[in-house]
Structure formats: structure tokens, C-alpha cells
Amino acid sequence: NMLSCWLSRLCRGFSTPTGRITHLSRGSLSRTLVLSSQRRIPEFSSFVARTNTCGELRSSHLGQEVTLCGWIQYRRQNIFLVLRDFHGLVQVVIPQEESAAAVRKILCEAPVESVVRVSGTVISRPPGQENPKMPTGEIEIKVKTAELLNSCKKLPFEVKDFVKKTEALRLQYRYLDLRSFQMQYNLRLRSQMVMKMREYLCNLHGFVDIETPTLFKRTPGGAKEFVIPSREPGKFYCLPQSPQQFKQLLMVGGLDRYFQVARCYRDEGSRPDRQPEFTQIDIEMSFVDQTGIQRLIEGLLQYSWPSDKDPVVVPFPSLTFAEALASYGTDKPDTRFGMKIIDISDVLRNTEVGFLQDALSKPQGTVKAICISEGTKYLKRKDLESIRKFAADHFNQEVLPVFPKASRNWNSPVAQSILEEQRSGLIRLMEIREDDVVLLTAGEHKKACSVLGKLRLECADLLEARGLVLRDPTLFSFLWVVDFPLFLPKEENPGELESAHHPFTAPHPSDIQLLYTEPEKVRSQHYDLVLNGSEIGGGSIRIHDAELQRYILATLLKEDVKLLSHLLQALDFGAPPHGGIALGLDRLICLVTGAPSIRDVIAFPKSFKGHDLMSNAPDSLPSEELKPYHIQVSWPANSEAEKMFFSTLSSLLP
């Protein structure tokens, strides 16, 4: 019932855009654009054989003759039946008189989740039988006629939000899962937010919605692409990881402002909460700087934000990449709670503890710590042991729990010797109170910050599991992260460079000379948008100078520039300065709805392994069907039986 209230609120909140007048200037011409000065309510029953939805009827409809279509939610004592559609629930009274035997037979014998159409009169529920938890709880329908539109067979699971189902079962029968109020709410909210984004971008700010190709070619850098065979021998298409090159070419083409609800494809295999195909709100503008893009996105989110959530407050705060790493140990910090990383090197500079001395003697060596408020109340000794084990296993890093003011003596001899020397300085610097626990580590700056950043989140999860509320679930904490490095050392070969974002990102104007001397120190004009510790968008000002782009690709990244000859040529033909951003729509909607996974805000998602459990894609093809593409499958040794099956099948084909 709560979810049906959400649906009603969702429909009300998004269906009443306020009247707004905006002046758009183009040269000397000033035009006025008027966006609906009247409130509009969607007409849910136009063009179909019903007069109303199940969720909209109230006391104001008493006495009206109505026709409703929906699914049977449940039946009680063959007297009442609850009918459901996308808009909500309504109670139907099954007629008991002999003259209505045919209607009673239909409504009493139809299985739950069968589809019916009923006609009748809206009447008041008897006094004392109203249901205040149900939006339609004051009325019911006195049925006159009924029609069974489709009977439902035995279901693999009940279509109710409180019934626990495995995700695999939900994905296998996704069309049933979509009937749940939660999935209806998620997908309708997604649709409404996208509609508001279109309105903001196109109608208020003059953007052009342009579709870009899905069949493209292999390009250097980034994630792995999906390869599509063509009928030309040895020639393949690739699905685009994003419309990056096309959006830049649209700026060269003078379109000035582009956006697209874009499908993107990345062959990233089994990664948690990632999808091989996903959706971006993709944006590019000419003659813009970083601040312009940031203000645009803040306005876009503020305008499209659901009315049943707290309003978005702008401008969003900003941190540099270096500040984010130093304070939170990550470039996507969750700023809804404290527990920041603090450098305590100076306090422990003269320590006699061996591993601290060793760390501080090195050029990049530091000692870092985080303070867990009331840690002694909420954390057990086994928790601290698992924290230490996690740091050792995943980061090869020693982490030491210290209890500077605890009444009980939890400390190890090493921690005790640290405290004896520098207790007061540590307490003062970290503002430590009774029952606080300090997690301390030593080593190279970036590595020490990374391990504490991960432990900060692990400890937050532990504390919240024990009942302490650290992160307000209704709070949306946006943050810009800026001044990323332009290049990173390659993992497999640290002597070579790769793009931190992508190879079309412009260097920071102050660092351009460093490109030719110390490229690893160059900052980029790249910016990420972070929400509650998740990256929901990223973009940059682009390189619009062909010579600079060629130098970065060929000399610094050692890429084959022939693969990008079309882009380099375009930049030589009068490319304007330009920049853009892409918002991850799936991740954004997931956070807005509070869904546990992005799969809960996508109509037909893939499984963890990238499979469609409903249709069993990807699927095998007989070798005969592969011949026009001039490709042949090399079967692994354990697939001999499958190979034999398909060769037999091929021989039987005409």
C-alpha cells in the first residue's frame, strides 16, 4: 500500500510542471518560449477500453459508472476481489445475487494474476470498513459485468514485493517481476526524470537531441569493445563505449549544443553492479569552460529531481583529486559522514616504533589515521582483527587499532608504546573522545590513504549494522572532483602512460609546458560528479587543437593515430573549443530510488555474468549461419559435445 501511495505521488509530482517563461537570445533576436502555463494531468485512460485506472478512484467519484482493467491481486472469501494496475489497487465487490451468477463465476474462478475487465458503480465502503492505508480505501466497485481477458497459469513466484525471490528467478521471469509496485515505481520515476531532463536541455537551453551510430569501429584506449562481424572478410564493427567521438564531431559540425539518451556498450565481463549495455545522459557544448558545464548539470539535476525527495541544493561543493585522496582515500568520496583521514606524521616523527620509523624515513613515507567515533561501543575484538586481515590481504598493509582514551586496555604492546610517547598530541590533533578507536597505518602516501579510505567505508558498514546511523538515507550529497592527473602509469608497464580519463581530455592550461618535460605531472580539465560515494558522471574540456591531439596520441600514449585519422582531420578544419559530460543514468536512478542494484532500475538487465536469463542470450549459432561472416568457432576442449551437436544440426539444415 505504501508503494501504491508512492506511485500516486510520483504521478502527481511529475505531471504538474509549473509554468515557466524563459528568454533565449540568438544574436539580436530574442524569442520567448512558454512552457505550459496551465497544470497538466496525464490522461491514463485515453484510447483504451477503460474509463479509469484502479488507483485513481476516490469519494469524489461516488455514483459514477466505471470500467476498469487489471490483474487480480487477491480474493477474499469469494466476496471481495482486489484489482491492480500500474496506478494502484481497488476493491471490487463480487455480486452474490442469483441473477449475477455468470459474473460471480468469472470473478471467483479466475486464478490470481488473471487479467479481467469489470464495469460497475463506485460506492462507499460500509462504515468502519474503510482502509486508510489504501489511497482508494474509502470506496469500492459494485460490479455489474465482468470479462476474463486472460487466465493465469501457476506462477513461479507470487507478484508481491514482500515475497522473497532470488535475483536469478526475478531475471528469468522479468515480465512478472515488472508487475511489482517497486519495479513500476523505479521505471516510471526513471521515465519522468528523463522527460524533465529533455525539457530542461531542449526547451530551456537550446540543446539538440541527436542519435549517433551503434555500429562503429575499434578505437584506442578505454574498456574492451564488443566486436560485431560483417559480411566483408576480416572486417568487423565495434559497438561504441560511448558517443565520445561523434559528440566532438557534432561540435566541429557547428551544432553547438548536443545531448542524447545514449546506449553504451562495454565488454567488461563479470563486474559487480556493471552492465554490458547501459545508458548515459550524454552532453556536449561549444565555447564552454569547466564552470559552465558544472552549472548546467547542477541546474539539470535540480530541475529534474523528483518532487517527493528533498530539493537539490546548488552549487555543489568541489574537491581536487589530491584533496579527495588525502581526506577520503578515494576519488569518489562519500561525504555524508566524517571519519576523514588525518596525517599524523609530525606527531609521531620521533617515534621509536620500528615500522613507523621505517615508513617515515622514506621520501613519500607518512603515517595516516582515521578516528572511529564510539568504536569501542560498537566494534568487537573480532571486527578489529578482520579489519587488520582485510588490510593485509588486499593492500599488503599493516593497520594498527589504537585506543587513546578507552577505560579498558585493548592496546597491543606496539600501540601502547606509541601512546606513551605521543598520546596528548594524537588526542589533540584528531579530537579524540572517550570510546573512540583510531586506525593507524604507515607507508607511501597514496597507498596509506587508499587502505584507510576502504576501511573508512568498511567501518561505516559495521557501525550501521550494529544500529548506529552514520549515513542519512534521505540525504543526497553531491560533490565535484576536479584536477585529475591527465595520465597514469600503465599497470602492466609502469614506464608507459595511459589516459586517466580518455585521450581527448584537454590538459590544465597551467600545465601545458609539462607535457613536453614531465607529462606524468600534468593535471587535466576532467571533472567527475560524485553522489553518496558513487561516481554518477564524468566529463572534460576536450582538445580542439589537432597538433596537440596528435602529439598526445602518438608520442605520449603510443597509439596508432590512423585509427583516429577522421577525428584529427576534423580538428584541423576549424574545430571550436568544446567540452561535455556524461551522466550515468542507471546509477543515478539507482541512488535516487534507493534500489540495491542498478539491475532494479533497468527494465531488462543482464545478470552478473552479462547473460540474459530470460531469453538465454548470448546464444550459440550453427556453423552454417556463421559462414556468411567468414568466421569459425574454435571450441574449447570441454565443449566437444556441444560442437558435435551443432555440426549435426548444420548438416540437417537445408
Side-chain angles (χ1 to χ4, degrees):
N1 286 340
M2 277 184 67
L3 285 166
S4 63
C5 291
W6 282 359
L7 280 172
S8 302
R9 214 162 58 237
L10 177 69
C11 294
R12 283 202 308 275
F14 277 116
S15 63
T16 55
T18 52
R20 181 160 183 175
I21 298 175
T22 301
H23 296 277
L24 298 176
S25 299
R26 179 166 247 173
S28 59
L29 177 65
S30 177
R31 291 178 301 152
T32 303
L33 178 71
V34 180
L35 279 182
S36 179
S37 57
Q38 297 176 340
R39 292 176 175 270
R40 293 174 305 194
I41 298 170
E43 177 47 74
F44 291 124
S45 296
S46 46
F47 319 118
V48 295
R50 67 174 179 233
T51 61
N52 298 87
T53 63
C54 296
E56 73 177 287
L57 297 173
R58 302 288 186 274
S59 295
S60 56
H61 297 89
L62 286 173
Q64 287 187 17
E65 298 292 314
V66 296
T67 298
L68 308 175
C69 299
W71 286 260
I72 297 173
Q73 176 86 351
Y74 57 87
R75 194 170 24 238
R76 196 164 67 248
Q77 300 168 334
N78 283 351
I79 299 173
F80 298 109
L81 179 145
V82 172
L83 200 62
R84 182 194 79 240
D85 65 10
F86 71 92
H87 205 194
L89 305 167
V90 68
Q91 182 164 286
V92 168
V93 183
I94 300 171
Q96 301 299 307
E97 53 271 20
E98 198 54 46
S99 58
V103 171
R104 188 169 70 252
K105 181 177 169 60
I106 289 169
L107 296 181
C108 289
E109 292 182 5
V112 168
E113 288 302 311
S114 294
V115 189
V116 295
R117 181 189 295 128
V118 299
S119 295
T121 311
V122 181
I123 61 172
S124 287
R125 291 201 190 188
Q129 291 186 26
E130 300 90 348
N131 184 350
K133 294 180 181 176
M134 200 171 171
T136 59
E138 293 181 350
I139 58 94
E140 56 194 13
I141 310 301
K142 186 179 180 183
V143 174
K144 292 178 182 170
T145 63
E147 183 183 353
L148 177 63
L149 300 176
N150 206 333
S151 184
C152 180
K153 292 189 174 176
K154 183 171 169 54
L155 294 166
F157 54 79
E158 287 186 83
V159 183
K160 293 187 175 71
D161 285 288
F162 59 82
V163 174
K164 296 291 180 192
K165 308 165 277 280
T166 64
E167 189 173 58
L169 198 62
R170 289 176 59 205
L171 293 181
Q172 186 182 350
Y173 297 97
R174 188 59 161 188
Y175 43 85
L176 293 178
D177 192 43
L178 291 174
R179 292 183 192 175
S180 70
F181 277 124
Q182 188 64 66
M183 285 303 303
Q184 290 274 324
Y185 175 76
N186 291 352
L187 293 177
R188 288 175 188 281
L189 183 136
R190 178 182 176 127
S191 167
Q192 301 287 10
M193 282 190 73
V194 169
M195 193 67 215
K196 295 286 283 183
M197 287 178 177
R198 289 185 187 280
E199 191 177 278
Y200 180 84
L201 290 166
C202 292
N203 294 353
L204 297 184
H205 293 287
F207 280 76
V208 190
D209 183 355
I210 302 175
E211 300 87 6
T212 54
T214 301
L215 294 176
F216 192 36
K217 62 178 279 187
R218 187 178 73 81
T219 54
K224 286 182 183 172
E225 290 139 327
F226 284 100
V227 175
I228 310 294
S230 78
R231 289 171 187 262
E232 292 183 54
K235 297 282 182 76
F236 296 86
Y237 295 106
C238 280
L239 299 181
Q241 299 175 37
S242 77
Q244 182 59 46
Q245 292 177 56
F246 293 112
K247 65 200 270 190
Q248 290 192 242
L249 294 170
L250 288 168
M251 296 304 102
V252 179
L255 267 297
D256 195 72
R257 294 180 169 208
Y258 142 94
F259 103 97
Q260 183 182 184
V261 181
R263 301 294 283 164
C264 305
Y265 306 88
R266 292 179 192 172
D267 189 6
E268 295 187 321
S270 316
R271 294 183 66 178
D273 231 16
R274 294 284 179 97
Q275 287 283 293
E277 49 183 334
F278 58 97
T279 308
Q280 290 179 344
I281 302 295
D282 201 47
I283 294 170
E284 197 80 6
M285 297 171 74
S286 295
F287 312 108
V288 72
D289 63 9
Q290 183 168 309
T291 305
I293 298 281
Q294 288 175 338
R295 296 298 87 87
L296 167 79
I297 295 303
E298 288 165 1
L300 174 73
L301 289 167
Q302 196 173 40
Y303 188 87
S304 61
W305 204 247
S307 58
D308 62 343
K309 312 287 180 195
D310 289 340
V312 170
V313 178
V314 298
F316 301 155
S318 182
L319 280 179
T320 66
F321 170 78
E323 288 167 342
L325 185 69
S327 293
Y328 298 98
T330 175
D331 60 2
K332 43 177 185 285
D334 189 339
T335 51
R336 288 174 295 173
F337 67 106
M339 284 169 56
K340 288 186 185 180
I341 299 166
I342 295 172
D343 191 314
I344 57 170
S345 304
D346 288 343
V347 174
L348 300 175
R349 188 70 63 189
N350 301 317
T351 182
E352 293 177 11
V353 176
F355 87 99
L356 298 180
Q357 263 185 347
D358 187 46
L360 290 170
S361 66
K362 293 184 173 130
Q364 288 287 310
T366 60
V367 183
K368 308 278 187 186
I370 57 172
C371 180
I372 305 165
S373 294
E374 301 186 275
T376 57
K377 282 186 186 174
Y378 292 97
L379 298 180
K380 299 178 172 66
R381 193 176 289 275
K382 66 173 185 180
D383 297 325
L384 297 170
E385 281 309 312
S386 71
I387 284 167
R388 294 186 71 171
K389 187 174 186 308
F390 177 88
D393 293 349
H394 291 81
F395 291 88
N396 193 26
Q397 190 84 358
E398 171 70 23
V399 168
L400 197 62
V402 180
F403 306 84
K405 295 180 88 170
S407 49
R408 286 183 291 163
N409 186 9
W410 292 47
N411 287 312
S412 66
V414 177
Q416 202 60 44
S417 63
I418 294 170
L419 290 179
E420 283 167 12
E421 294 174 356
Q422 281 93 9
R423 184 192 299 264
S424 59
L426 197 62
I427 288 170
R428 190 167 57 252
L429 179 63
M430 299 192 70
E431 299 177 356
I432 295 162
R433 294 171 300 184
E434 203 74 41
D435 294 320
D436 288 356
V437 178
V438 170
L439 294 183
L440 175 152
T441 193
E444 186 268 326
H445 168 77
K446 188 176 177 183
K447 191 176 177 186
C449 289
S450 294
V451 68
L452 288 180
K454 192 72 180 163
L455 292 180
R456 175 178 177 266
L457 296 174
E458 292 285 325
C459 289
D461 289 343
L462 270 173
L463 292 172
E464 290 193 329
R466 305 272 155 78
L468 185 69
V469 179
L470 278 178
R471 296 166 287 198
D472 180 352
T474 65
L475 181 65
F476 293 95
S477 185
F478 288 97
L479 174 75
W480 289 109
V481 180
V482 300
D483 288 355
F484 283 81
L486 188 60
F487 305 111
L488 294 170
K490 280 186 179 174
E491 272 187 43
E492 64 276 13
N493 184 1
E496 291 184 10
L497 297 174
E498 63 183 5
S499 296
H501 182 43
H502 59 52
F504 317 116
T505 305
H508 199 288
S510 313
D511 295 355
I512 284 182
Q513 283 313 307
L514 289 172
L515 273 176
Y516 308 99
T517 55
E518 298 176 281
E520 67 281 354
K521 291 185 179 176
V522 177
R523 292 168 299 161
S524 70
Q525 293 188 70
H526 167 57
Y527 32 84
D528 272 355
L529 182 59
V530 176
L531 173 58
N532 294 358
S534 290
E535 181 196 330
I536 59 159
S540 64
I541 302 302
R542 322 301 186 189
I543 298 166
H544 66 281
D545 177 84
E547 191 181 332
L548 177 60
Q549 184 67 81
R550 198 175 282 110
Y551 174 78
I552 285 175
L553 284 166
T555 308
L556 297 181
L557 298 175
K558 299 179 172 47
E559 296 285 5
D560 180 2
V561 291
K562 290 195 192 78
L563 291 170
L564 290 165
S565 57
H566 56 284
L567 180 67
L568 291 167
Q569 190 175 52
L571 295 179
D572 262 331
F573 292 158
H578 58 283
I581 193 167
L583 295 180
L585 183 64
D586 310 301
R587 168 64 53 213
L588 173 63
I589 304 297
C590 180
L591 291 167
V592 170
T593 58
S597 160
I598 60 169
R599 291 185 286 280
D600 288 319
V601 298
I602 299 170
F604 296 100
K606 302 290 188 289
S607 73
F608 174 69
K609 290 187 175 177
H611 293 179
D612 178 357
L613 303 183
M614 185 179 64
S615 67
N616 201 31
D619 207 352
S620 303
L621 285 177
S623 56
E624 282 299 312
E625 291 187 29
L626 294 175
K627 275 186 181 174
Y629 301 103
H630 313 281
I631 58 175
Q632 191 175 332
V633 176
S634 173
W635 293 91
N638 60 354
S639 297
E640 283 304 316
E642 201 170 347
K643 180 182 175 185
M644 192 172 288
F645 168 75
F646 278 108
S647 29
T648 310
L649 187 63
S650 301
S651 65
L652 296 173
L653 288 171

